[in-house]
């Protein structure tokens, strides 16, 4: 793509993602509300549609507080470092056969590599706050993110072996050619991916970095106003991005019946994954930190490795 | 000047500035952060050279891995009172200045005197080509590096264990 359309694409995508995050938060509160036999937000606009808008407005006009003892520069920089990679990874997502930004031949690697930068933002935020809860939260968060990044990557390796390409679009074309979505032949990999994705996202039942009963609010305890909004934004954009990745590599991307455009099928599948995150949040209690670590290292990583071995054997055997 | 050259100059300036900030800045957390930005700029240079794989690996290893490791190491140790060495004498400064200066001039002479033939076809460093080279031609060297890293890891654990037991 030329420079101008590229900038335009990025600008439009940013607006759409912001609207999408607002919708996702409303969706989350409604889903959890109905699961707990209440209606959820219903005061602002019909069906509570303006609830998130009101929340965001509140966060934006709130007083900006930087603690006196905080390391000012790092404190200001941390939310940006956390947010930028979560948006940058969306560049490789191919929304339909014709609508995509970058046809990168190492798309999967780009996705995983850049998202690991978010860890730095979380760590910097927690550390520069000069607060014990923030520090503990960020250390937990980083330990969890680093541990669960390994099974997340390993679970994708099975797909990469089958397809023989790191290009996200090639993965979808491969699923089109075999006429099967990859979550069926790669079911073990899919399960490992889903579990480690939730831990990567710091979502319930693995939301230990911000366990409010023990850590107040985790690594963003000292953040308020729009800086806090930035952390929340990063979290939700990341949730959308991980859903998009799951859709692309396991659920056939934009593939679907022909009577509706590919973008619609892509968004529908993405919404399904978002619903799964919210569903789990409403139903499962929080895991304990040592259980979480044991589960990651002793169960998920061996399972992911087993998946790679089986996939390689089948690939060599089938030729 | 083409767009590529402009991007190169911007990225190179960022890399050099951040690299010198690593030495200049006072607080160690700021140093670690500027090191991360330096690695980012170098990854950008790799992207400019169409070595996408190398660029991503640069970000993954240096920003996502090494910098986080650094921050952890700094967090675990008492960093407020850390000074690297006591103030050096004038003679020491002079000698090190001459040493660094001569190293720089030798490198510059080497780089400027080097005669690299301009490639006719644009080279794209794909992951596939790198994988074939790494696990084909250089597989023994690759295994050797793996064993070396494993030994270093075990050594670090043994040393850390010993210190933990003594306390």
């Amino acid at each position: 793509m030329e420079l101008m359309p590229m900038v335009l694409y990025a600008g439009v995508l940013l607006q759409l993602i912001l609207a999408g995050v607002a919708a996702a938060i409303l969706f989350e509160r409604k889903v959890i509300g109905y699961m707990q036999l209440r209606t959820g937000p219903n005061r602002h606009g019909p069906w509570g549609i303006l609830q998130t808008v009101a929340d965001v407005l509140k966060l934006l006009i709130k007083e900006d507080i930087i603690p006196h003892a905080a390391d000012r520069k790092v404190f200001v920089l941390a939310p940006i470092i956390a947010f930028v990679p979560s948006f940058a990874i969306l560049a490789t997502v191919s929304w339909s056969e014709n609508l995509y930004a970058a046809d990168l031949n190492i798309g999967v690697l780009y996705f995983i590599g850049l998202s690991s930068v978010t860890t730095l933002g979380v760590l910097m935020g927690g550390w520069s706050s000069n607060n014990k809860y923030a520090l503990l939260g960020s250390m937990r968060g980083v330990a969890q993110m680093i541990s669960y990044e390994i099974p997340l990557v390993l679970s994708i390796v099975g797909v990469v072996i089958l397809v023989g390409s790191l290009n996200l679009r090639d993965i979808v074309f491969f699923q089109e050619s075999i006429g099967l979505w990859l979550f069926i032949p790669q079911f073990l990999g899919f399960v490992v991916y889903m579990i480690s994705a939730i831990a990567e996202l710091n979502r319930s039942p693995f939301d230990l970095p911000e366990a409010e009963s023990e850590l107040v609010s985790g690594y963003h305890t000292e953040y308020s106003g729009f800086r806090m909004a930035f952390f929340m934004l990063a979290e939700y954009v990341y949730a959308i991005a991980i859903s998009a990745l799951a859709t692309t590599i396991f659920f056939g991307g934009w593939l679907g019946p022909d009577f509706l455009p590919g973008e619609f099928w892509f968004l529908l599948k993405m919404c399904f994954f978002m619903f799964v995150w919210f569903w789990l949040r409403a139903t499962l209690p929080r895991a304990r930190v040592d259980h979480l670590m044991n589960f990651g290292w002793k169960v998920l990583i061996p399972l992911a490795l087993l998946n790679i071995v089986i996939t390689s054997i089948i690939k060599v055997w089938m030729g | 000047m083409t767009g590529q050259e402009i991007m190169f100059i911007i990225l190179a300036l960022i890399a050099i500035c951040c690299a010198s900030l690593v030495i200049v800045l006072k607080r160690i957390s700021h140093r670690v952060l500027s090191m991360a930005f330096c690695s980012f700029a170098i990854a950008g240079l790799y992207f400019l050279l169409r070595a996408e794989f190398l660029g991503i690996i640069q970000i993954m290893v240096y920003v996502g891995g090494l910098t986080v490791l650094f921050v952890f190491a700094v967090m675990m140790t008492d960093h407020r009172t850390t000074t690297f060495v006591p103030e050096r004498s004038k003679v020491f400064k002079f000698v090190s200045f001459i040493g660094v200066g001569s190293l720089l001039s030798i490198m510059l002479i080497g780089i400027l005197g080097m005669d690299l033939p301009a490639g006719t076809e644009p080279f794209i460093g794909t992951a596939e080509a790198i994988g074939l080279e790494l696990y084909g031609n250089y597989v023994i060297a690759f295994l050797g590096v793996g064993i070396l890293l494993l030994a270093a890891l075990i050594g670090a654990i043994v040393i850390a264990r010993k210190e933990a037991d003594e306390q």
Side-chain angles (χ1 to χ4, degrees), chain A:
Chain A
M1 268 207 276
E2 292 302 307
L3 190 63
M4 264 324 280
M6 226 195 283
V7 172
L8 204 67
Y9 179 91
V12 172
L13 184 64
L14 183 60
Q15 303 300 321
L16 286 177
I17 284 295
L18 291 181
V21 168
I25 294 174
L26 178 72
F27 183 44
E28 171 167 23
R29 297 174 74 173
K30 276 286 183 188
V31 166
I32 293 176
Y34 284 124
M35 281 186 182
Q36 295 167 350
L37 295 180
R38 51 192 179 85
T39 38
N42 63 350
R43 295 286 149 163
H44 302 279
W47 205 65
I49 268 176
L50 297 175
Q51 178 67 50
T52 328
V53 181
D55 285 345
V56 170
L57 201 65
K58 186 206 91 177
L59 281 176
L60 286 183
I61 58 179
K62 228 174 158 178
E63 187 190 351
D64 175 32
I65 299 169
I66 298 179
H68 187 66
D71 187 344
R72 211 184 152 85
K73 282 177 200 145
V74 181
F75 188 84
V76 171
L77 211 55
I80 302 170
I81 297 182
F83 170 67
V84 169
S86 72
F87 179 62
I89 53 179
L90 289 172
T92 45
V93 173
S94 180
W95 307 98
S96 78
E97 200 172 344
N98 304 314
L99 187 66
Y100 60 94
D103 189 7
L104 212 57
N105 63 17
I106 45 158
V108 176
L109 211 58
Y110 172 87
F111 204 101
I112 302 293
L114 265 193
S115 60
S116 68
V117 177
T118 304
T119 322
L120 188 63
V122 169
L123 197 51
M124 281 301 181
W127 189 29
S128 65
S129 302
N130 221 336
N131 174 317
K132 56 186 169 189
Y133 298 116
L135 187 63
L136 280 175
S138 75
M139 280 174 72
R140 267 192 192 180
V142 170
Q144 179 176 329
M145 279 161 137
I146 291 177
S147 317
Y148 276 81
E149 204 168 316
I150 301 165
L152 188 77
V153 176
L154 291 181
S155 67
I156 300 174
V157 170
V159 173
V160 173
I161 291 172
L162 266 190
V163 178
S165 168
L166 285 165
N167 188 327
L168 287 171
R169 284 169 58 76
D170 281 353
I171 292 174
V172 179
F173 286 131
F174 177 81
Q175 298 178 58
E176 197 173 13
S177 70
I178 63 167
L180 196 67
W181 290 354
L182 276 177
F183 80 97
I184 300 168
Q186 281 289 316
F187 190 71
L188 189 57
F190 178 65
V191 172
V192 173
Y193 178 90
M194 287 302 279
I195 297 173
S196 41
I198 298 163
E200 258 311 89
L201 293 170
N202 296 336
R203 291 200 68 85
S204 189
F206 301 136
D207 59 345
L208 290 157
E210 37 194 286
E212 55 281 77
S213 53
E214 34 199 287
L215 288 179
V216 189
S217 175
Y219 57 86
H220 49 67
T221 302
E222 291 288 357
Y223 283 85
S224 64
F226 66 94
R227 294 186 209 285
M228 147 90 181
F230 247 79
F231 271 123
M232 294 300 285
L233 192 65
E235 205 180 308
Y236 276 89
V237 173
Y238 202 29
I240 290 177
I242 286 278
S243 312
L245 186 65
T247 306
T248 309
I249 59 181
F250 289 113
F251 266 46
W254 62 81
L255 303 176
D258 264 339
F259 58 88
L260 279 166
E263 290 91 345
F264 173 81
W265 293 115
F266 195 95
L267 291 179
L268 190 72
K269 292 170 196 171
M270 245 173 72
C271 287
F272 168 72
F273 280 107
M274 296 297 281
F275 173 72
V276 173
W277 311 146
F278 303 152
W279 180 19
L280 291 176
R281 183 178 163 187
T283 41
L284 292 177
R286 185 176 292 137
R288 228 171 64 194
V289 69
D290 54 332
H291 288 172
L292 176 87
M293 283 302 173
N294 276 341
F295 185 65
W297 288 95
K298 292 181 184 165
V299 180
L300 280 185
I301 292 181
L303 274 182
L305 287 173
L306 182 71
N307 180 45
I308 292 177
V309 171
I310 294 173
T311 313
S312 318
I313 290 173
I314 290 174
K315 173 89 173 175
V316 172
W317 186 45
M318 303 285 274

Side-chain angles (χ1 to χ4, degrees), chain B residues 72-162:
Chain B
F72 260 100
V74 171
M75 232 155 47
M76 298 299 177
T77 51
D78 187 15
H79 59 95
R80 276 173 221 282
T81 54
T82 305
T83 48
F84 288 111
V85 274
E87 185 68 17
R88 302 283 198 184
S89 65
K90 277 227 173 73
V91 180
F92 187 90
K93 280 181 182 169
F94 184 69
V95 169
S96 56
F97 181 76
I98 294 214
V100 172
S102 52
L103 181 66
L104 180 70
S105 54
I106 289 171
M107 275 171 69
L108 275 181
I109 290 169
I111 292 169
L112 292 176
M114 201 159 47
D115 188 26
L116 284 175
T120 43
E121 53 188 293
F123 174 75
I124 297 176
T126 58
E128 197 180 358
I130 291 172
L132 284 178
E133 281 290 313
L134 203 58
Y135 296 108
N137 279 341
Y138 300 104
V139 69
I140 293 179
F142 180 76
L143 288 177
V145 170
I147 292 170
L148 197 67
L149 285 175
L150 183 67
L153 191 69
I154 294 173
I157 291 172
V158 168
I159 292 172
R161 277 272 162 185
K162 202 185 276 174

